[in-house]
Amino acid sequence: MTGLQVVFLLIGAVTLASAVMVVAAKRVMHAALWLILALVGVAAAYATLEASFFAVMQVAVYVGAIAILIIFAAMLTRRSMEDDPARLNKGWPAALLAAGGLLAGLVYLFSRWTGFSSPARALPEGGENIAALGLALTAPEGFLVPFEVASLLLVAAMIGAIYVAGDLRK
Amino acid sequence: MSFWYDPVAFIAEWLRGVLLGWGMAPEGAAFVLTALGAAIMPLLAMLFVIFLIWYERKLIGRIQNRFGPNRVGPFGLIQPFADMLKIFIKEYITPIGADWLPYNLAPVLSVGGVLLIWAVIPFSATIMGVNLNVGLVYIIAAGGLGALSFLLAGWGSNNKYAMIGGFRSVAQLISYEVPMVVSLLMPVMLTGSLGINDLVKAQTIPFIVTLPAAAAIFFITSVAEAGRAPFDLVEAESELVAGFNVEYSGLKFGMFFVGEFLHAFTISLLFSTLFLGGWRGPGAETYPLLGFLYLVIKTFLVYFVVILFRGSLPRFRIDQMMDLTWKVLTPLALVSLVVTALLAKPLAGIPALQAVVLFVVNAILLMVFFSVAGKRATPKRAIVGKPRPLATPHHEDVSA
C-alpha cells in the first residue's frame, strides 16, 4: 500500500464518520458543522485523485456557500438551537426502508458498471484537464445539452425564488 | 547563480545539497524543503502583522491629526511588541453556555483562512508556494472559510450581539462574493488561465488599465470581504457592543485582530497581483529580487488606500451596504463582463487597440454606473407619520 492510498483511506474514514455524525448529532448546528467536515473530506478525496478543479470547487460552492446558508437557516430557527433529545419520529422504519433500498440499488448498479473495476486512465500532464473539462461542457459532441438543461433548471429555480420572496401585490 | 540574484532559490538549493550530502533520498529532501517552506511562509506573514499594526496606527493617527504611537522605541516601532506581550498574559474567559469547539475553532480559522491565500501568490518570478492551475478559484474558496469563522464565533459565544454580528457578516460576505467572482472572470477571460502566475505574466499592460471596472469592483468587494471600514458592520461598536468577537479575550481576541489586519494586507497583495501587474516591472524577469521589491511597493500603495478608506469614510448602514452590491456592483459586473467578452475576442490580434478599446468602454461603464445607478440605488426616504415625542411633559400642580 502506498502512502497516497493510506491518506485516501484516512480521508474516506473521516468523511464517513462525519457523515454519520451529521444525522447522529444532537444539535442541528452541530450537524451542520459535521456536514462541513464531510464536504471538506470529499474535497480532499478529489485532491488525492488529482482533480484539483473539483476539489477547489467543492470547497468554494459547498463549504463557502451552501453549508453556510444551511447554518444560516439553522441559526434563524430558534427551536432547533435548543437541545432536543428526540431525534427519531414515528416514520423512521419507512425512512430506513427507503434509504436502504436506495443504497442497495446504487450498490447493485455500481457493481454492474465496468468502469468501477477497471484502473483509472492517467491524466495528461499540466493544466490540460481544466481545458478538457471546459470543452466537454460546451462542445456539441460533449455534454452541451445536459449543461444547458441544468442552467435552465437553475433559471427556473431563481424565478421561482423571486416569485416566492417578492411582494407582487405592489 | 549568486545569492543576490534569487536568495530564496539559492538557499533552497544550498539546503538541498546539504541534505543530499547527509545521504538523504531526493524525495525526502524535497519533502523537507516543502515542509520548511510551508512552515516559514505563514510564520513570516504573521510576524509581519506586528509591523502592519504599527503602520496602520501611525497612518490613522496622521489622518486624525494625532501622532499615533510614539513613546516606545524609535517612532513607536516597539509599541506593537508591548501590546502583543500584554495580550499574551491576559486571562481567557469562556462564557457560560458557549459551544466549546466552534468557540475555539473560530479564531484559528479567521487567521488560517487568510494564510491559505498566501500559498498561491507569486512573490517574484520564481518565489511562490504552489503554482496551482486553479489558483483563482482556490482564493475564492479560501474566502469561504473566513465567513465560517465569523459565523462560528457568533454562534459559539452564546451571546445575542455576537450572533447578530455573525448574521451580518454572512449576509455581507455572500452578497459581495457575487460581483467579486464575476469581476475576476474578466482577467481570466483575457488571460485564458486560472493560475495566478499566468495572470501576472499576461499583464504586459496591467489589468487596471484595460479593465478599470473589474478593478474597481474587485477592490470594493474585497474591502467588504475583509470586513474593513466602511464595511465593518460586523463589529459596529455603536450597535453591537463589539460584534461577533464580543465574548473573546486574550490571545483568542488577538487572533481575530491579527486575522483582520492580515486580511486587509492580503487583499492589497491580491489587488496588486491581479490588477497592477504583480512582480512585473523593468528587469524583474532577470532579477527576481527586484520583482519582489516591485510587488512590495505596489502592495503598500494599495494598502495605503485601504487605510485611507478606513480613516475617512463613515460606516455603511446595512440597507446601503446591500443596495451597493445588488443594485450597483452586480449589474455593473455583469454588463462589463458581457461587453468585455464581446470586444476582447475580435480584437485579440491587435493588443494595443484591444487595450485602448477595453479601457474606454469599461471606464465609460464605470462612470455611468457610479453616477446614475448609484443615485437610483438608494430609495428616497419618505416621512410616513408625524413626529411624536416619546415622553410628553406632564404638569402637575405641586404647590397645592
Side-chain angles (χ1 to χ4, degrees), chain A residues 27 29-30 33-34 36 40 52-53 56-57 59-60 63-65 67-69 71-72 74-76 78 81 126-130, chain B residues 97 99 102 132-134 136-142 144-145 147-148 151-152 154-155 160 163 166-168 170-171 174 177 194:
Chain A
R27 290 178 159 189
M29 188 68 187
H30 287 178
L33 294 178
W34 281 112
I36 289 181
V40 170
S52 54
F53 182 74
V56 171
M57 266 308 182
V59 176
V63 179
I68 284 182
L69 278 178
I71 293 185
F72 209 46
M75 282 164 85
L76 282 171
R78 239 189 115 193
M81 278 155 57
E128 289 302 307
N129 39 20
I130 302 182
Chain B
D99 206 340
L132 265 189
N133 57 357
V134 287
L136 214 55
V137 194
Y138 171 88
I139 287 172
I140 294 162
L145 289 181
L148 199 58
L151 203 51
L152 290 181
W155 191 75
K160 292 236 159 74
M163 183 108 124
F167 280 153
R168 283 187 179 187
V170 175
I174 288 189
E177 205 146 43
L194 285 166

Side-chain angles (χ1 to χ4, degrees), chain A residues 56-125:
Chain A
V56 171
M57 266 308 182
Q58 171 86 12
V59 176
V61 174
Y62 284 92
V63 179
I66 291 182
I68 284 182
L69 278 178
I70 290 176
I71 293 185
F72 209 46
M75 282 164 85
L76 282 171
T77 49
R78 239 189 115 193
R79 274 207 54 202
S80 59
M81 278 155 57
E82 295 155 8
D83 289 324
D84 181 19
R87 271 160 288 151
L88 297 172
N89 63 11
K90 283 185 306 196
W92 71 268
L96 182 70
L97 202 69
L102 198 64
L103 179 70
L106 278 176
V107 168
Y108 173 70
L109 275 179
F110 271 121
S111 65
R112 285 170 57 95
W113 182 44
T114 51
F116 198 57
S117 50
S118 63
R121 269 187 296 168
L123 288 167
E125 283 293 314

